[in-house]
Amino acid sequence: MKLLLMLLLLALELTLVCVHAEGETSARGKNFNPKKIEGKWYSVGLASDKREMIEEGGSMRVFVEDIDVFENSSLAFKFHTKINGVCTGLYLVCDETEKDGEYFVEYDGRNKFTVLDTDYDGYVIFHLRNVNKGETFQLMELYGRKQDLSSKIKEKFAELCKKHGIVEENILDLTEADRCLQARDG
Ligand SMILES: *[C@@H]1O[C@H](CO)[C@@H](O)[C@H](O)[C@H]1NC(C)=O
């Protein structure tokens, strides 16, 4: 009886581990359709375990305008970033790595990122790891199709950030910040 109970608990634990691992990669693999994240986006949330990267003047404080998907499956991002207080365009082409749904781009070091979660027509959450001169940090981004997102989605983003070890005070809500909206097309 006791053994049976232990086996049952073990099975339950294994199931939980599997569910957890699946949640981590929900948007990756065959279910993720990169083509559907194309188009206009707004940066709504930004987080990092190295806060200076996302503060004023930080190289990762970038505001998305548009994502384009190429035939060869590379992703092109059009961003704006403030350099000495001036909104400046930034265009990055990110190539898919040998892993499905993982992308690489050289920008202030070597960056690899994945889409952690998306519903395509509302929000998308990215997780990025930067390696530069032997140092590493994580960056997480929340984009919305509209300028702001529901508190439910923002909470989901915060939960995912915390799961990756990013503390609350390193999670920024950009909706009150100057996101260079006036520099966008149209
Ligand atoms: C994919 O195509 C784009 C646009 O032509 C190009 O900039 C990029 O380098 C290509 N990537 C690969 C891996 O061939």
Side-chain angles (χ1 to χ4, degrees), residues 100-114:
D100 245 8
E102 185 188 67
Y103 298 88
F104 173 83
V105 64
E106 194 101 37
Y107 171 73
D108 202 11
R110 298 167 61 80
N111 304 278
K112 278 186 181 172
F113 66 85
T114 56

Side-chain angles (χ1 to χ4, degrees), residues 121-135:
D121 56 7
Y123 72 96
V124 59
I125 295 171
F126 289 93
H127 176 268
L128 177 146
R129 184 169 287 283
N130 173 288
V131 179
N132 195 6
K133 298 184 189 105
E135 283 186 35

Side-chain angles (χ1 to χ4, degrees), residues 70 72 74 93 95:
F70 293 136
N72 63 10
S74 293
V93 176
D95 297 327

Side-chain angles (χ1 to χ4, degrees), residues 70-76 91 93-96:
F70 293 136
E71 286 294 320
N72 63 10
S73 74
S74 293
L75 301 182
Y91 186 75
V93 176
C94 312
D95 297 327
E96 199 170 19

Side-chain angles (χ1 to χ4, degrees), residues 10-143:
L10 188 69
L12 186 70
E13 225 165 284
L14 282 173
T15 314
L16 286 175
V17 167
C18 290
V19 166
H20 181 82
E22 243 166 55
E24 274 293 278
T25 55
S26 57
R28 283 174 70 176
K30 57 181 180 288
N31 288 329
F32 173 53
N33 181 354
K35 200 73 190 159
K36 287 169 76 178
I37 61 161
E38 250 187 356
K40 299 287 169 203
W41 290 101
Y42 294 88
S43 292
V44 172
L46 192 58
S48 178
D49 48 13
K50 195 172 178 185
R51 202 178 199 276
E52 70 213 63
M53 303 310 298
I54 57 170
E55 288 169 352
E56 293 278 346
S59 65
M60 294 294 166
R61 194 177 170 90
V62 296
F63 311 109
V64 70
E65 173 169 352
D66 186 78
I67 300 176
D68 211 0
V69 182
F70 293 136
E71 286 294 320
N72 63 10
S73 74
S74 293
L75 301 182
F77 288 76
K78 184 177 176 187
F79 294 108
H80 298 278
T81 184
K82 280 175 101 175
I83 296 176
N84 299 321
V86 181
C87 289
T88 309
L90 174 69
Y91 186 75
L92 294 176
V93 176
C94 312
D95 297 327
E96 199 170 19
T97 70
E98 65 286 351
K99 281 189 209 158
D100 245 8
E102 185 188 67
Y103 298 88
F104 173 83
V105 64
E106 194 101 37
Y107 171 73
D108 202 11
R110 298 167 61 80
N111 304 278
K112 278 186 181 172
F113 66 85
T114 56
V115 169
L116 277 192
D117 195 9
T118 184
D119 63 356
Y120 302 111
D121 56 7
Y123 72 96
V124 59
I125 295 171
F126 289 93
H127 176 268
L128 177 146
R129 184 169 287 283
N130 173 288
V131 179
N132 195 6
K133 298 184 189 105
E135 283 186 35
T136 180
F137 66 83
Q138 299 179 86
L139 182 81
M140 291 186 60
E141 292 180 286
L142 171 64
Y143 297 171

